[in-house]
Amino acid sequence: MTKSKLLRMDNVGIVVESLNETIAFFIELGLKLEGRTMIEGEWAGRVTGLGNQHVEIAMMVTPDGHSRLELSRFLAPPVIADNRNAPVNALGYLRVMFTVEDIDQTLDSHQPTGRPVGW
């Protein structure tokens, strides 16, 4: 059996419309807000290829402390696409899955539509 080269999964990133509401949803699931900050300037844009960007991010950590969920709200440049209605066979991010005790109660207690605002 060969040894895996993968040591751990550090994070998954999601671009959201409403950072406050999405943070609240994940806190309700049991994740903890590890930190929140603004990332801006051309140096950050060189990493993403977006030029001079202004992004508010929040890092959520799972209860076991092993994985993180990075939430980003782009202020500049503006969001150019909305993949919430993309078909499941579209390229890119599709899902992040968690196990909860009662999915119906979890979704109903957050929003009547059962879907976090800003997704």
Side-chain angles (χ1 to χ4, degrees):
M1 179 182 258
T2 60
K3 182 179 176 185
S4 173
K5 295 177 183 175
L6 180 69
L7 300 178
R8 68 179 179 262
M9 184 186 94
D10 286 324
N11 82 30
V12 171
I14 302 174
V15 176
V16 300
E17 189 173 68
S18 173
L19 198 57
N20 288 336
E21 292 180 28
T22 307
I23 289 169
F25 175 78
F26 283 111
I27 286 174
E28 188 173 318
L29 283 183
L31 278 74
K32 293 181 181 172
L33 179 62
E34 187 173 51
R36 185 172 178 167
T37 193
M38 298 298 276
I39 305 292
E40 54 191 329
E42 290 186 29
W43 70 269
R46 284 194 300 273
V47 174
T48 63
L50 294 176
N52 190 11
Q53 67 181 32
H54 188 86
V55 183
E56 184 178 16
I57 66 165
M59 190 66 75
M60 309 292 296
V61 63
T62 55
D64 63 9
H66 294 293
S67 299
R68 283 159 179 75
L69 184 63
E70 182 178 324
L71 306 173
S72 302
R73 182 175 71 99
F74 280 82
L75 304 169
V79 173
I80 61 166
D82 187 340
N83 294 318
R84 289 178 283 192
N85 296 318
V88 296
N89 62 341
L91 293 176
Y93 160 79
L94 181 58
R95 73 177 60 88
V96 174
M97 300 176 96
F98 298 97
T99 300
V100 296
E101 288 182 23
D102 185 333
I103 186 68
D104 293 325
Q105 178 187 14
T106 301
L107 293 175
D108 289 344
S109 66
H110 184 70
Q111 181 178 327
T113 63
R115 184 175 190 172
V117 172
W119 285 32

